[in-house]
Amino acid sequence: FYLNLAMESISQWTSCWRMVINCDINKTEVICFNSYDDSAVPSAFDLGGKQIQLTSHTSVLGLIVDSKLSYKQHSKSVYDNLVYRWTSLSRYANRNWGMCQAVIVRITKTILFSTLFYGSTVWMHNSNMDQINKLWYKVSKTAVGAVFNTHGAILEVILGVPPIQTTQKIIAIKHYLKTLSDNEDIHCRFIGDQVAEGNPRVLCHLRDVQKFLSWKAENFRDEIDTGDLAILSQRNIEPLLQLSQKTLRYTKGMIQLFTESLWQDSLNNRLMMEGWSTIPIVSCNTLPIPLGTSREVEVLVMSLMYKNNLLNSFLFDVNRDVWSSPLCPCGIEEQTSVHLLTNCSLVEDSLNVEAKRIMCLCNNLGNVIEPMYDPNCAILNCSRDLNFINLCAEVVKTEDLNLRKRINLPRVNIL
């Protein structure tokens, strides 16, 4: 009854102003949200002698909204769009030739992320991100040039790209900070209404905003209005709406540092739950691989930073029938990343000494790399040091090592 009354009112208003409403599909539709009895909702409505159809989902400003507000249709649409774009890009990305990791990361941020994070504050949930997370793993694995499956979190640390969930959280924080900075803005008043109603999603975003502002107060105290310090110490959500513009202001440098802090906390929790004893240090800075470095060399350099590489030690564990020895050609010990950099007789002594010095310095290990310390994490923690990257490049180019650039994986017959 009320919906028909509204339709009649709209019809009269449009007739008065001589407006014509396009009642075609995808132009004007009716959608009923969270109805417990769909059968009670008519399949069509009359608007000025035209039929408006009931739909389960519709597109609004590029966002596909469904009646259950699950946004699964939109997530699938985003996934299909990303797959199409990545399929075109992946033709020029290979382990041994093609685009370097810096170019792949830049294109990913420009072309893929612009699609992925459009409206992400509204639609992105853990429940509709499975396929997109799998695609992101393929992209990051291709950028690093890994052959075997490698932990996705380690790939992100190597590339200097925060996880999707962390990036989305930062986008939401920036959006709320801009909105709250103008108390007269209609969106700010809307947020206040949602807080009063106890909207859980809005409250969750505001808690993230509060976390950022508390972090800012600790690290950039001069950038916080003195009168707002008491509000931030209360840990209350509602007073956030009264903060000054100075307190809500942020810079690109602040956001990067906070992103790294948020990312590090997330990585610590994730890897500690998986039993990791050593956690790598994250950085949003890209690898300082010198311009002109070939794709083959940069892939070999990055392979030193994770365990599942093409060195003898790992391949021996994979299949002892095909790779019969884990030893390095020098014959001293197993061929691992840390052995190549610190203790291989086939590599120049000066490179070994310098690599060991930088690794101990970057990991605060004194003069000895502790046996319990994860060697790949130790190397990864040095990866933003330009001298260390140049040193790694010299090591992997050592002819006597003859490091594998590719392998032929044996086929497995499934009965």
Side-chain angles (χ1 to χ4, degrees):
F1 169 76
Y2 291 106
L3 189 53
N4 288 328
L5 190 63
M7 293 291 183
E8 184 179 347
S9 177
I10 293 172
S11 178
Q12 291 176 358
W13 186 85
T14 54
S15 298
C16 178
W17 291 97
R18 297 183 181 180
M19 294 177 63
V20 178
I21 296 180
N22 186 348
C23 294
D24 293 342
I25 295 176
N26 294 328
K27 291 296 182 182
T28 304
E29 297 175 313
V30 174
I31 184 169
C32 185
F33 294 106
N34 294 322
S35 174
Y36 292 102
D37 186 8
D38 294 335
S39 61
V41 182
S43 60
F45 297 85
D46 182 74
L47 178 59
K50 297 179 180 179
Q51 290 289 315
I52 299 179
Q53 301 300 319
L54 179 70
T55 183
S56 60
H57 61 275
T58 188
S59 179
V60 181
L61 298 176
L63 187 68
I64 301 176
V65 182
D66 60 274
S67 60
K68 302 298 182 184
L69 295 178
S70 65
Y71 297 100
K72 290 185 177 179
Q73 288 89 344
H74 182 76
S75 177
K76 186 178 185 309
S77 174
V78 170
Y79 172 75
D80 292 340
N81 196 337
L82 293 176
V83 167
Y84 172 76
R85 296 185 179 199
W86 174 243
T87 301
S88 302
L89 294 173
S90 62
R91 299 171 185 172
Y92 309 101
N94 188 275
R95 177 180 167 83
N96 301 300
W97 53 266
M99 297 183 293
C100 65
Q101 59 86 26
V103 173
I104 295 175
V105 169
R106 179 61 62 88
I107 290 177
T108 296
K109 290 181 177 179
T110 305
I111 297 179
L112 301 186
F113 281 7
S114 59
T115 299
L116 174 60
F117 291 112
Y118 175 75
S120 60
T121 306
V122 176
W123 71 267
M124 193 174 284
H125 305 276
N126 290 333
S127 59
N128 56 25
M129 287 294 294
D130 286 346
Q131 293 300 316
I132 293 176
N133 286 334
K134 291 176 182 177
L135 176 62
W136 168 235
Y137 176 77
K138 292 179 182 179
V139 174
S140 54
K141 184 180 174 183
T142 301
V144 170
V147 174
F148 295 97
N149 287 337
T150 304
H151 202 296
I154 300 301
L155 297 178
E156 291 168 344
V157 175
I158 293 173
L159 296 174
V161 181
I164 291 175
Q165 291 76 11
T166 300
T167 303
Q168 189 274 328
K169 189 174 289 188
I170 294 298
I171 290 173
I173 290 172
K174 291 164 65 177
H175 170 72
Y176 275 82
L177 288 172
K178 290 177 181 178
T179 304
L180 295 175
S181 62
D182 184 3
N183 292 331
E184 301 301 321
D185 186 84
I186 186 174
H187 299 98
C188 184
R189 294 200 297 270
F190 174 77
I191 291 174
D193 294 338
Q194 294 303 304
V195 170
E197 293 177 9
N199 186 316
R201 189 161 178 80
V202 173
L203 291 174
C204 181
H205 288 316
L206 287 176
R207 288 190 190 98
D208 292 334
V209 172
Q210 188 180 52
K211 185 175 182 180
F212 166 74
L213 293 175
S214 298
W215 173 89
K216 181 183 173 183
E218 292 178 6
N219 297 276
F220 298 90
R221 197 176 186 84
D222 294 340
E223 298 296 325
I224 299 288
D225 198 311
T226 307
D228 292 335
L229 291 173
I231 294 177
L232 294 177
S233 63
Q234 292 176 7
R235 304 293 179 180
N236 252 343
I237 297 296
E238 291 184 8
L240 293 179
L241 305 176
Q242 309 301 324
L243 294 175
S244 65
Q245 289 188 358
K246 179 181 178 180
T247 300
L248 296 170
R249 193 181 301 127
Y250 63 87
T251 64
K252 185 177 180 180
M254 283 183 194
I255 290 297
Q256 178 171 327
L257 290 174
F258 181 69
T259 300
E260 290 176 349
S261 173
L262 208 61
W263 182 9
Q264 189 70 64
D265 291 342
S266 171
L267 186 67
N268 290 347
N269 292 336
R270 179 177 177 182
L271 296 187
M272 287 177 67
M273 287 181 66
E274 294 178 10
W276 288 54
S277 58
T278 307
I279 312 297
I281 301 171
V282 305
S283 173
C284 290
N285 298 320
T286 56
L287 288 174
I289 295 179
L291 239 111
T293 304
S294 69
R295 175 64 174 163
E296 284 187 342
V297 171
E298 78 164 13
V299 166
L300 287 175
V301 169
M302 288 187 288
S303 72
L304 299 175
M305 303 173 193
Y306 56 89
K307 182 180 179 181
N308 302 358
N309 48 34
L310 301 186
L311 298 181
N312 290 343
S313 178
F314 177 73
L315 293 179
F316 179 73
D317 291 337
V318 172
N319 193 327
R320 301 188 180 190
D321 295 330
V322 178
W323 297 286
S324 57
S325 173
L327 296 179
C328 178
C330 70
I332 297 177
E333 58 185 357
E334 292 188 9
Q335 189 186 53
T336 62
S337 300
V338 72
H339 165 73
L340 294 180
L341 293 174
T342 62
N343 196 35
C344 183
S345 61
L346 300 179
V347 178
E348 291 184 19
D349 290 340
S350 59
L351 296 179
N352 283 160
V353 171
E354 182 63 10
K356 188 173 182 179
R357 184 189 71 80
I358 295 176
M359 288 174 66
C360 291
L361 181 64
C362 291
N363 292 279
N364 299 318
L365 297 177
N367 297 319
V368 180
I369 299 176
E370 298 175 8
M372 294 299 292
Y373 202 92
D374 188 321
N376 297 107
C377 281
I379 295 170
L380 185 52
N381 289 342
C382 307
S383 61
R384 268 55 186 179
D385 187 304
L386 178 59
N387 293 331
F388 185 76
I389 292 295
N390 288 330
L391 185 149
C392 290
E394 291 299 320
V395 170
V396 299
K397 286 191 288 188
T398 303
E399 293 184 1
D400 292 342
L401 289 176
N402 194 24
L403 297 179
R404 297 179 184 84
K405 298 179 176 65
R406 60 179 64 85
I407 61 171
N408 294 320
L409 296 174
R411 293 186 177 181
V412 179
N413 294 323
I414 301 177
L415 299 178

